[in-house]
Amino acid sequence: MINIYMRVSIIPLIFLVGLIFAKPLEFQLKKNEQNSNSLQKRSNLILSLKNNSDTYFSTAIEVGTPAQELNLIFDTGSADLWVMDSKNKHCIYNSYKNITVEPVINCADLLTFNSSESSTIKKVSDARFYINYVDLTYAEGVWVTDTLTINGISIPNMQFGLALNATTPVSGVLGIGFQRREAVRGYEGASNEFYPNFPQVLKQQGITDVVAYSLNLGDSSSIIFGGVDVNAYTGTMYTFPMVNVYPNVVDKPATLALTIQGLDIVDKITNSKKNIFNNKYAVLLDSGTTLVSFPTDLADSMASFVNATYSPAESVYIFDCPANSDSIDFVFNFGELKLHIPLTSFLLLPEGDSICGFGVLRSRNSFITLGDSFLKNTYVVYDLDNYQISLAKAANNTDKEQNIIEIPSDGKIPGAIMAEDEIWTGNVASSTSSARIETALPSTTINTESLKTATSGKIVIETITKYICNKSS
């Protein structure tokens, strides 16, 4: 999913590496190697996840032959890779004879893909590629295959959407969510055919044993496909079943959601405590969302504890900046695991005055979304094959070298404890005649006087994009 102030989220790719054994594939800040137990030297492919002013994370990949570098928004909540073509007629000064079509977007700071310069690009079919956002932006074009290059490793014939007409002002999106979330259904000219997206290809090529990856959005932001860095978290890791929030649409989970059982707020100075809720909610862990969102009644209750009031004009809670924001903890109760997240993580800091924003948004339904402001404090393992999510507290010490272990095909991570949670279908499931699943997406800036944040450079209003899901496993 995706949801930051001026951007979208999504993303795919593949890797052909001639190794006998499946190994972790890592996107991080540098390239390294580690020794395997078989005495064979095995390399982790590392690609940077760049923190862009605390609003979203992006990653650089190269597309085509010769390779062209693109900066794509990284998103766990969607499943497709799409890139903007340099001939996009909505771009000012595009490469298509300077013909610009309304609405106009400024692509001067974007890296776009010149598809006519690639000798390896191929059109998949006459099917249309299309993603439409509720804020009326969209990306439209064709499905193609081409070579992706990551740190010198070439990945031929990867399928992605080539946006020939796009009003969404991003270079593209790399989505690594469930394959059934691919934007291949529900619009005129759609292919109605799912295809292997990036995580699926890694498993098909024997690079990983399982469609699973671990995410660390701390100081050294990285994602490891097929592996877990045991030095990146502290305490015990617990593994929870995913929750199917759309049981009337799909038979198995289609979103990276699990169950939260309660939320408390504690002031360590005054020893005061407030229970926000102590019943089950489905909660989405989404790297494509900057802040967190709760149903309105819960968000209001959270805001009242810090004496924040809702501003309809700004669509955000505002309050006097606290003298000691480290004294207040939000205690997220997942059952066996309770994670303490400081108020600092949800603080939207002003540039000039003493009025702060409270980085908790009102949700339009009973769904809870925990975005980057929460994830920066948490180490998360998403296992799409076994429909489970593992959580632990992120380690603050970034000086330790990585210690990567593989995620086995059965999903039982060494050292992690299987939680006793019962599998349930969530509390936001809804039936629709078109079998649509809605995913929060990006792109509306709240009109505040430049509120800045330790966890979000601007404040975002959640918008909705629709991805079609097939009722299949």
Side-chain angles (χ1 to χ4, degrees), residues 208-247:
T208 62
D209 287 329
V210 63
V211 180
Y213 40 83
S214 58
L215 183 65
N216 177 14
L217 296 185
D219 294 334
S220 298
S221 304
S222 66
I223 180 170
I224 307 173
F225 287 87
V228 173
D229 180 5
V230 298
N231 284 341
Y233 65 90
T234 182
T236 302
M237 174 177 285
Y238 288 89
T239 300
F240 303 90
M242 291 184 185
V243 55
N244 184 4
V245 299
Y246 298 102

Side-chain angles (χ1 to χ4, degrees), residues 94-124:
N94 62 71
S95 64
Y96 188 72
K97 302 178 181 179
N98 269 351
I99 299 174
T100 305
V101 177
E102 295 292 336
V104 172
I105 60 175
N106 186 358
C107 302
D109 296 328
L110 303 177
L111 294 175
T112 58
F113 178 55
N114 191 338
S115 58
S116 62
E117 295 294 322
S118 177
S119 62
T120 48
I121 191 170
K122 296 179 182 178
K123 187 177 178 180
V124 173

Side-chain angles (χ1 to χ4, degrees), residues 180 244 246-254 437 469-472:
R180 64 179 65 90
N244 184 4
Y246 298 102
N248 296 323
V249 180
V250 288
D251 295 328
K252 295 181 179 180
I437 288 183
C469 286
N470 185 355
K471 190 157 186 172
S472 63

